[in-house]
Structures are given as C-alpha cells and as structure tokens.
Amino acid sequence: MRRIHTAVVHCTATPEGKDFSVATIRGWHKQLGWSDIGYHFIIQIDGRISPGRPIEKVGAHVAGHNAGSVGISYVGGVDTKGKSKDTRTPAQKSALRTLLADLVKKYGITKICGHHDLFAGKDCPCFDAIPEYADLLGR
C-alpha cells in the first residue's frame, strides 16, 4: 500500500443541486487524457460516498501532490450562475467529515486541505478545509 499523508478536498465545479455520477465524472477526466477518474471518492448530493479511483493508485487531482494524497470531491461548487460557492448539503458535510475522520484513522493522515491550498488560482473546494477539519487532526 502506498503512503498517504494528505487528504485534499475538491468540488466538481458543477451547478448547485445537480447530481453527477462517478461514471460521468470519470468520462470528463478520461476526455482530458487521464487513465481514470482523478478522485478517490465522490460525495454525492444526498451524502452517499461513491468510490472513484482505487485508493491504492495515485490519483490525478492536484498536480505535484498526487503521490502521497487522497482526493475527495463533493458534487457541486458553483451556483446557478456559474460562480464559486460552497454548495455542500448537510448530508455532504456530514459524509465528508465522516470519510475524512475514517481516512485519518486508517492511514495516519497528517494534513487535510483544499485544492486551492496547493494550487493557486483555484477556488476549489469553495470553502476553507484547513480550519474546518483541524479537529480531526487533533489541532
């Protein structure tokens, strides 16, 4: 098993309230020339956690930081006009927190951050993940 030390939170940059399947997102990523979906987990609008790329495989979700990280994306991230917005539903917030807590425990993750924390110029995931999940790291 590869060493995972960081969880990177993303959004799919899709309109608020509109659900997208893993298969659809996988298709978008394959159109970019990637071998598979870039994220390891997708959080659906109803809070279901869907597997993406197998966690044993390096993701394709944040250039220069994929090797030691797990990529998690919630469906949403833009309002109906295409502007960046934290569109997480209560179910998504709960599922994301539960998944992150499980990953911290299972893999000894020491950093949880948003895509924008590692890649300047991105709003993704449209909220500040570092303080929101600091308690999961004992901080």
Side-chain angles (χ1 to χ4, degrees), residues 15-36:
E16 180 174 15
K18 188 168 182 186
D19 221 352
F20 291 89
S21 69
V22 170
T24 297
I25 299 165
R26 179 175 280 119
W28 297 337
H29 290 183
K30 288 183 124 188
Q31 284 178 357
L32 295 171
W34 302 351
S35 64
D36 195 1

Side-chain angles (χ1 to χ4, degrees), residues 1 3 5 9 16 19-20 26 38 64 67-68 70 79 81 96 98 104-105 115 117-118 121 128-129 136-138:
M1 181 63 184
R3 169 83 173 99
H5 51 76
V9 181
E16 180 174 15
D19 221 352
F20 291 89
R26 179 175 280 119
V70 57
D79 66 17
K81 295 179 181 163
L96 184 52
T98 298
V104 166
K105 189 174 185 180
H115 186 188
D117 296 308
L118 301 173
D128 197 352
L136 297 178
L137 302 172

Side-chain angles (χ1 to χ4, degrees), residues 7-71:
V8 183
V9 181
H10 300 264
C11 65
T12 57
T14 53
E16 180 174 15
K18 188 168 182 186
D19 221 352
F20 291 89
S21 69
V22 170
T24 297
I25 299 165
R26 179 175 280 119
W28 297 337
H29 290 183
K30 288 183 124 188
Q31 284 178 357
L32 295 171
W34 302 351
S35 64
D36 195 1
I37 188 170
Y39 311 119
H40 296 97
F41 298 96
I42 301 292
I43 310 295
Q44 304 293 335
I45 289 174
D46 65 2
R48 281 178 297 120
I49 300 169
S50 299
R53 185 180 291 221
I55 200 163
E56 299 82 22
K57 295 188 177 185
V58 173
H61 56 96
V62 60
H65 300 276
N66 289 313
S69 68
V70 57

